[in-house]
Amino acid sequence: MQEFESDVNDASKFVLSEIDSYNWLDASVRKRFFDEKFEVMIGARNLLNVIDVRRSKASSIGGSAHATTSNNMMLGYGRSYFLKLTYNINF
């Protein structure tokens, strides 16, 4: 991952970093009723509850060669659930 960041003197520097691997899992179930006019869908997003991953700064241009810092990169807000109701009107 490549990015720019600012130091305390507002000087920008180029930073090369790595992020840990992660998996994302969503699931849903759909059922139709009344000659397929009414549909109900329930599901969940981010079942593995991934919120952030570890990001380690491997090197930076203009920084210290032996300094390594680690912080987390936010990916999502956690697990969520949903219910979808659909009614099709045919004219």
Side-chain angles (χ1 to χ4, degrees):
M1 180 174 171
Q2 302 172 359
E3 62 186 333
F4 284 99
E5 72 178 24
S6 299
D7 60 9
V8 292
N9 298 326
D10 282 338
S12 295
K13 62 181 177 178
F14 182 75
V15 177
L16 182 63
S17 61
E18 292 182 1
I19 60 172
D20 287 348
S21 60
Y22 64 94
N23 293 304
W24 204 270
L25 180 64
D26 298 340
S28 62
V29 177
R30 179 178 65 176
K31 178 69 178 166
R32 293 181 176 162
F33 302 97
F34 308 119
D35 294 326
E36 297 190 2
K37 290 185 178 184
F38 184 69
E39 179 180 283
V40 176
M41 182 185 298
I42 60 172
R45 295 185 179 104
N46 193 5
L47 285 173
L48 302 175
N49 202 24
V50 176
I51 298 172
D52 54 14
V53 293
R54 187 174 52 221
R55 177 179 62 181
S56 61
K57 295 179 184 175
S59 66
S60 64
I61 297 172
S64 173
H66 300 287
T68 59
T69 59
S70 293
N71 56 2
N72 292 337
M73 183 174 73
M74 185 172 178
L75 289 177
Y77 49 85
R79 187 178 302 123
S80 63
Y81 305 95
F82 66 90
L83 171 68
K84 177 181 176 183
L85 304 173
T86 306
Y87 186 75
N88 294 321
I89 301 173
N90 296 326
F91 289 101

